[in-house]
Amino acid sequence: MTNKIIDAVALTLGIVGALNWGLIGLFKFDLVATLFGNMSILSRIVYALVGFAGIYLISFFMYISNDND
């Protein structure tokens, strides 16, 4: 049960990060900076959590490779 929660939180943070980068790339609009301030402590925490989630999501490749065996 705990892994499913961690997976869901990591996936949600990964999606938030991807959407934020999409907004930056398409419209030069940083949603996290708009909501929490430009490089405020809260926005830096969000950026760090998204980064940690991305690192954690790398482990999903192991699930994919194990399913194909």
Side-chain angles (χ1 to χ4, degrees):
M1 184 73 168
T2 304
N3 276 348
K4 286 186 179 185
I5 293 171
I6 293 171
D7 291 350
V9 169
L11 189 56
T12 302
L13 286 169
I15 291 168
V16 167
L19 291 174
N20 194 51
W21 276 108
L23 289 170
I24 292 169
L26 293 172
F27 306 111
K28 295 183 182 179
F29 177 72
D30 188 345
L31 182 62
V32 174
T34 300
L35 292 176
F36 301 114
N38 191 19
M39 293 311 287
S40 70
I41 189 69
L42 196 53
S43 66
R44 292 180 66 179
I45 289 170
V46 171
Y47 293 135
L49 289 174
V50 168
F52 289 136
I55 292 169
Y56 177 79
L57 290 174
I58 293 171
S59 69
F60 280 27
F61 284 115
M62 289 184 283
Y63 297 134
I64 294 169
S65 65
N66 287 338
D67 288 344
N68 291 332
D69 291 339

